[in-house]
Amino acid sequence: MAQILTNIYDWYRDLMDNQSDPRVADWPMMSSPFPTLGLCIFYAYFSKSLAPKLMEKRKPMDLRNTLVIYNLFQTIFSTWIFYEYLQSGWGGHYSFRCQPVDYSDNPLALRMARTCWWYYVSKFTEFFDTLFFILRKKTQHVSTLHVIHHGCMPFSVWMGMKFAPGKCCTPGSAPITSQPLTSSN
């Protein structure tokens, strides 16, 4: 049993230390999957159990002004992320057929990686959608599918961010490369 646990630990360390993108290793929330996984699990528990119980005997909250500000923020944040994706690759430097990851310290490659990280952060800001539904007692919108979707997205984006920020290929369609992007790509 001890050997199995040692093998699992060694596999995990190899995966995190040697198989992932070293540029993002020290970025917030990127060193380990456990903080993201913990937040996703807490989100599901909070959304389907704790928050509805806390709101059970309370009146719905009027959050119109808060929602206007939140939706404006989300719109600006998403627009900025889209702009950054265009500027760091999809607006002319990337192939639409397949784009391998550029693991170099090329400024465009780092810009794409940072943009992917901000997209990852945006998956957490979207948790507030559910909170606002619950506070307004619109729990019919908090379906199991809704909670699964929002609860899984941060973790799935974390995996892409940890191992291949900026890649867009079907598996096996192109090798991962460490070659810097050029304007001829």
Side-chain angles (χ1 to χ4, degrees), residues 70-86 115 118-119 121-123 125-126:
Y70 169 75
N71 287 325
L72 179 63
F73 170 81
Q74 288 294 91
T75 301
I76 292 169
F77 192 29
S78 295
T79 301
W80 176 75
I81 289 170
F82 179 72
Y83 170 80
E84 286 298 308
Y85 276 135
L86 288 177
T115 303
W118 282 110
Y119 178 72
V121 169
S122 78
K123 300 299 105 187
T125 65
E126 292 172 5

Side-chain angles (χ1 to χ4, degrees), residues 6 10 44 48 50 63 67 69 75-76 92-93 99-100 104 109 115 119 122-123 126 130-131 135 142 152 154 161 175:
T6 299
D10 291 344
K48 292 303 272 183
L50 182 60
L63 299 173
L67 288 170
I69 293 167
T75 301
I76 292 169
H93 304 287
Q99 185 61 43
S104 75
T115 303
Y119 178 72
S122 78
K123 300 299 105 187
E126 292 172 5
T130 309
L131 175 63
L135 293 176
V142 186
C152 289
M161 186 60 220

Side-chain angles (χ1 to χ4, degrees), residues 23-123:
R23 299 172 305 166
V24 304
D26 295 329
W27 291 11
M29 302 280 288
M30 288 290 107
S31 64
S32 167
F34 297 114
T36 300
L37 185 60
L39 285 171
C40 291
I41 290 169
F42 179 75
Y43 163 80
Y45 167 72
F46 180 83
S47 300
K48 292 303 272 183
S49 183
L50 182 60
K53 285 179 187 168
L54 292 173
M55 286 301 294
E56 194 171 56
K57 295 182 175 148
R58 291 184 165 87
K59 291 181 180 181
M61 296 176 75
D62 180 7
L63 299 173
R64 278 180 270 190
N65 294 333
T66 303
L67 288 170
V68 167
I69 293 167
Y70 169 75
N71 287 325
L72 179 63
F73 170 81
Q74 288 294 91
T75 301
I76 292 169
F77 192 29
S78 295
T79 301
W80 176 75
I81 289 170
F82 179 72
Y83 170 80
E84 286 298 308
Y85 276 135
L86 288 177
Q87 293 300 309
S88 60
W90 292 112
H93 304 287
Y94 274 22
S95 164
F96 283 102
R97 190 176 68 97
C98 180
Q99 185 61 43
V101 178
D102 180 354
Y103 289 105
S104 75
D105 288 329
N106 174 305
L108 273 179
L110 289 171
R111 187 175 184 178
M112 177 59 79
R114 283 190 299 271
T115 303
C116 291
W117 186 83
W118 282 110
Y119 178 72
Y120 161 74
V121 169
S122 78
K123 300 299 105 187

